Amino acid sequence: MQIVKQYSWAIILAAAVCVVLVIWIREPKGDAAVQQLEESENPSENQLLLTETPAEKEPAPDHTKFVVDIKGEVQNPGVYELAPDSRVEQAIGAAGGLTDKAEGRSINLAQRVADEQVIYVAAIGEGADLPVQSAGTNASSDKININQADSEELTELNGIGEAKAQAIVAFREENGPFTSIEQLTEVPGIGEKSLENMKEQISL
């Protein structure tokens, strides 16, 4: 015990030295500490890339609109976007309505519009001998427009009876306007042969 007491100061000193050494070993050294501080203040490019907010994607183009060109005796002729189920009456309304010179008989206000359609409103006198356009007939063609014709008009096509005509209308109402003539083969009861028989009679 006397020996322990005699050298107690040496034991305390040794313990203190050990504690200092442990602390010194654990602390980052010089440049390493500076480097850690710099990294915390200046994150690397990879870190920036991970933390950057992704750029917002540009909105996809809207393909749910029909574009029609309205000409003639309307208040504001021009190109307009309309919903696919719009009628000519709504197209005329979008163009500001008819002028006082418009010949009402030159257009069918109940006709459904088609994408890329030209709607021409004749002036009084100019359209006196013009027939009213039927709902399923393109103004510049005698072909039946499968996106506009009703079931009765569709029965005028080769090989299309009442049942198939109604199937075409039902398919159109469920899936939207036809985007190609060949899409008719997706209608129940209409195959490649049926399409070939009436291909020259139809339009979009």
Side-chain angles (χ1 to χ4, degrees):
M1 293 294 294
Q2 291 178 349
I3 295 174
V4 171
K5 290 180 179 180
Q6 184 178 359
Y7 293 100
S8 61
W9 62 270
I11 295 172
I12 293 171
L13 179 61
V17 171
C18 289
V19 172
V20 171
L21 285 174
V22 170
I23 295 174
W24 182 81
I25 291 172
R26 289 187 176 182
E27 287 183 348
K29 303 298 184 295
D31 294 340
V34 173
Q35 182 178 359
Q36 289 179 358
L37 180 60
E38 290 177 349
E39 289 178 351
S40 66
E41 293 178 348
N42 302 301
S44 66
E45 292 183 2
N46 290 335
Q47 289 174 322
L48 287 173
L49 289 174
L50 291 174
T51 57
E52 283 180 351
T53 303
E56 294 184 359
K57 294 183 178 179
E58 293 183 2
D62 186 2
H63 296 296
T64 62
K65 299 288 187 182
F66 279 176
V67 179
V68 297
D69 185 5
I70 307 174
K71 302 177 181 293
E73 294 300 325
V74 291
Q75 300 292 343
N76 302 297
V79 176
Y80 293 87
E81 287 188 351
L82 300 168
D85 59 348
S86 298
R87 306 281 180 167
V88 169
E89 181 180 20
Q90 293 168 291
I92 298 298
L98 300 174
T99 67
D100 294 337
K101 300 178 181 179
E103 172 55 78
R105 292 186 301 167
S106 66
I107 53 173
N108 178 4
L109 295 176
Q111 179 183 356
R112 289 184 183 275
V113 300
D115 194 25
E116 301 181 8
Q117 180 180 359
V118 175
I119 299 173
Y120 180 75
V121 181
I124 295 174
E126 176 187 0
D129 299 324
L130 294 176
V132 174
Q133 298 173 19
S134 64
T137 304
N138 189 303
S140 61
S141 172
D142 291 333
K143 294 183 178 181
I144 292 178
N145 188 316
I146 57 174
N147 281 329
Q148 299 177 359
D150 57 25
S151 58
E152 182 179 351
E153 291 170 321
L154 290 170
T155 58
E156 298 176 13
L157 297 172
N158 294 335
I160 299 299
E162 184 176 348
K164 288 184 179 180
Q166 291 177 353
I168 292 173
V169 173
F171 181 91
R172 190 175 66 202
E173 292 176 348
E174 182 177 350
N175 300 281
F178 291 97
T179 57
S180 68
I181 290 175
E182 288 71 19
Q183 194 179 5
L184 270 174
T185 57
E186 298 177 22
V187 177
I190 299 180
E192 295 289 345
K193 186 175 181 180
S194 298
L195 177 61
E196 191 64 31
N197 290 335
M198 60 179 169
K199 198 170 185 178
E200 299 302 320
Q201 298 176 282
I202 58 180
S203 68
L204 295 177

